[in-house]
Amino acid sequence: MQFSLIFQAPHLAQADALILSMYEDEALHKSPAAADAALGGAIADLLSTGDFTGKASQVAVLYPRGALPARRLILVGLGKRESLTLDTLRRAAAVGVQKARELKAKSLASTLHGRGSALSAESCAQAYLEGAVLGNYQYHGQKSSAPSPELPETLTLVLPEDAQGDKEAVERGMNIGQVLGEATCLARTLVNLPPNLCTPQHLAETARQIAQQHGLSVQVLDRAEMEALKMGALLGVARGSAIPPQFIILEHQPERAAEGKTIVLIGKGITFDTGGYSIKPADSMVAMKNDMAGAAAVLGAMQAIAELKVPRHVVGLVPATFNMISGEAYLPSEVLTASNGKTIEVISTDAEGRLILADALVYAARYKPAAVVDIATLTGSIVVALGNAAAGLFTTNNELREALLAAAEATGERLWTMPMYSDYEKLIESKTADIKNSGGRHGGACIGAVFLKHFADYPAWAHIDMAGMADDLPNNPIYPSGASGYGVRLLTEYVRRAAQ
Ligand code: MG
Ligand code: MG
């Protein structure tokens, strides 16, 4: 979809569909009032029936029949004026675009929802573009019939003439929103791809493309290079797969980045998790192509950070491998040695994510990072705790916790703080190694976080367990079915704020 901005009376915009928004239970004013006058009171009639009240994400369609230049009028509800949030605006943008797509409208014109509220014009424009791009995402998979052409083709934001003063702010917001939306869709497609296509090599190739297009540097370590670095935990997991692992390093190094302020983002890239010899039941295995959603979030965030030219040195690390079964696959009771020399007794080969992250966390130390954030579909346990409503946030650093929670609030990509009590440490004590990789089911997400802490040897580290957020998030029009792309906007926002 192509986006543009013009200044004219919105109700006079020419388009296949004109989208106007209304707050709940309010009298008509501004663009809807002007449109209503031209339509001889058709909107007032609609409101009087109670069929449309302006409730958040509610949508109605009217046909102007020549009374307006647009062929269709789509009304979108914003809910109560006093409870307006950026998330309401994202959803409103998504439902408007989805309705237009359903009607096969090619060209859209729309008012900037939320403009004139307490939210800035820039953030309203950003939220609009995020919602429109995210809501319009479709994954066609490998169907042999050609997908229908992408609709709508164009969306023009129409602001009244007297809003010219907002032009720069709105354009800035539109750019940020589009960058974030598209980077999220990149992550979605990586997660949606089946595991025979989304291999460690495909993740590496995607990283190279991002680097080439957006001016990042990229390095991909192969198995021999990982062996030289003694990444025994990651290599232990990778041993069962004929397709070799990749360790991806993307680096955003802007000229005006401050010294000593490096942020490292780490994404878990298990391109399919069979569970290994601790094999998963068939029903819970089938979704496991999503076990690289953390990697996808980091790749998407690195693209957005580069496009937005965030003035901060940021490194993205992706340990990528399959977790498979073969004659060489690693076994329960094996002891692996991670690259910091710590030995790990393998209790469950299905607790593989923490093993590949362990070596990535150790690798991150070489940058002397100001902060490290890892993101992973780590445990089923976090899904039991939080469902599909939030990811779990684990950190012992207050400043980093507050920064990540603020980014979560701003983006609507929720985080909920989880504990890292020393009690959990007891549960990963091993008789044969320094620690073991599983401490039982109770508190499994917390145990996973406490395990990772053994490899995060720097002052500020946070772990995000997004296992419940990777795909099929219910009841939100900005998340069509399939992968959510969760984490791209969250990580980018965190880094943008940190760079200010
Ligand atoms: Mg896994
Ligand atoms: Mg597993």
Side-chain angles (χ1 to χ4, degrees):
M1 201 172 10
Q2 301 283 325
F3 296 95
S4 57
L5 171 66
I6 61 168
F7 292 86
Q8 72 167 108
H11 72 286
L12 297 180
Q14 182 106 43
D16 290 341
L18 169 66
I19 305 172
L20 301 179
S21 54
M22 290 176 54
Y23 291 103
E24 188 172 356
D25 295 333
E26 282 194 13
L28 287 167
H29 63 285
K30 293 194 175 167
S31 303
D36 186 58
L39 293 171
I43 301 177
D45 270 357
L46 171 69
L47 294 176
S48 72
T49 62
D51 293 358
F52 179 88
T53 59
K55 228 169 67 170
S57 294
Q58 202 180 22
V59 61
V61 183
L62 295 173
Y63 292 86
R65 304 176 67 196
L68 293 175
R71 294 199 58 200
R72 304 171 185 85
L73 174 60
I74 298 175
L75 294 174
V76 175
L78 298 180
K80 300 278 189 204
R81 181 185 291 269
E82 59 275 16
S83 51
L84 184 72
T85 63
L86 291 173
D87 219 46
T88 317
L89 295 178
R90 290 184 196 102
R91 290 173 192 234
V95 295
V97 167
Q98 284 164 356
K99 179 50 84 177
R101 187 172 71 196
E102 193 186 311
L103 301 172
K104 300 197 173 20
K106 283 187 185 167
S107 61
L108 309 186
S110 176
T111 49
L112 177 54
H113 309 328
R115 197 182 72 87
S117 69
L119 302 167
S120 72
E122 177 178 334
S123 48
C124 291
Q126 182 186 332
Y128 198 117
L129 274 273
E130 279 178 36
V133 174
L134 295 176
N136 198 39
Y137 175 81
Q138 282 177 300
Y139 175 69
H140 297 293
Q142 287 70 47
K143 285 179 185 291
S144 53
S145 57
S148 47
E150 194 206 332
L151 291 176
E153 290 170 354
T154 61
L155 191 154
T156 305
L157 288 184
V158 189
L159 272 65
E161 295 281 3
D162 64 5
Q164 291 273 3
D166 285 342
K167 184 166 188 277
E168 267 182 40
V170 169
E171 282 174 343
R172 201 162 48 234
M174 288 174 72
N175 177 53
I176 297 169
Q178 186 170 7
V179 164
L180 290 170
E182 287 172 356
T184 301
C185 292
L186 168 87
R188 285 177 174 178
T189 297
L190 289 172
V191 177
N192 282 330
L193 279 173
N196 55 325
L197 299 180
C198 189
T199 58
Q201 288 63 32
H202 181 73
L203 292 178
E205 191 47 42
T206 303
R208 289 192 190 97
Q209 279 171 14
I210 293 170
Q212 197 190 8
Q213 284 165 10
H214 305 289
L216 297 161
S217 60
V218 63
Q219 196 187 352
V220 179
L221 308 183
D222 63 14
R223 200 192 296 260
E225 289 163 302
M226 289 181 237
E227 275 163 9
L229 288 163
K230 300 188 176 0
M231 292 182 164
L234 167 51
L235 289 167
V237 176
R239 233 164 57 207
S241 175
I243 299 174
Q246 306 269 268
F247 191 93
I248 301 161
I249 305 152
L250 265 178
E251 205 165 339
H252 168 68
Q253 178 65 284
E255 274 173 20
R256 51 203 182 97
E259 290 279 318
K261 298 271 193 185
T262 302
I263 294 174
V264 182
L265 306 174
I266 303 175
K268 171 185 167 185
I270 293 288
T271 48
F272 194 84
D273 184 14
T274 65
Y277 278 103
S278 310
I279 192 165
K280 289 178 185 291
D283 284 352
S284 46
M285 196 192 293
V286 72
M288 283 301 125
K289 67 175 185 177
N290 79 5
D291 217 10
M292 38 57 71
V298 167
L299 293 178
M302 291 304 293
Q303 172 173 304
I305 288 163
E307 276 198 89
L308 298 174
K309 301 185 168 42
V310 180
R312 191 89 188 231
H313 181 217
V314 186
V315 180
L317 301 178
V318 172
T321 179
F322 283 92
N323 185 22
M324 302 281 272
I325 292 173
S326 79
E328 292 179 47
Y330 76 138
L331 300 169
S333 83
E334 258 190 47
V335 175
L336 301 173
T337 306
S339 41
N340 65 346
K342 284 215 177 165
T343 55
I344 306 161
E345 179 191 4
V346 176
I347 299 297
S348 168
T349 61
D350 197 13
E352 81 299 331
R354 65 201 66 183
L355 296 173
I356 71 165
L357 287 174
D359 282 323
L361 287 164
V362 172
Y363 190 89
R366 70 182 52 214
Y367 299 101
K368 303 195 171 22
V372 177
V373 180
D374 78 71
I375 183 163
T377 48
L378 205 74
T379 67
S381 165
I382 199 69
V383 190
V384 174
L386 301 174
N388 306 113
L393 171 62
F394 300 85
T395 180
T396 53
N397 185 291
N398 290 334
E399 201 184 326
L400 184 54
R401 179 190 304 114
E402 292 312 315
L404 284 163
L405 289 175
E409 175 73 27
T411 56
E413 294 200 319
R414 289 204 200 104
L415 288 173
W416 188 258
T417 308
M418 299 289 290
M420 292 180 68
Y421 303 127
S422 58
D423 309 48
Y424 303 121
E425 282 285 351
K426 286 264 170 239
L427 303 173
I428 53 168
E429 284 177 4
S430 164
K431 289 196 175 74
T432 61
D434 297 335
I435 49 174
K436 55 187 182 183
N437 80 330
S438 175
R441 291 181 53 179
H442 295 172
C446 306
I447 294 168
V450 165
F451 175 94
L452 293 175
K453 191 162 180 279
H454 284 264
F455 305 90
D457 191 14
Y458 16 80
W461 160 70
H463 160 61
I464 296 171
D465 191 341
M466 59 163 288
M469 303 303 285
D471 43 27
D472 293 326
L473 299 182
N475 308 320
N476 188 335
I478 73 168
Y479 298 119
S481 70
S484 66
Y486 176 94
V488 173
R489 292 182 299 121
L490 171 70
L491 293 174
T492 307
E493 181 68 17
Y494 157 68
V495 171
R496 286 181 71 214
R497 285 166 178 245
Q500 274 169 8

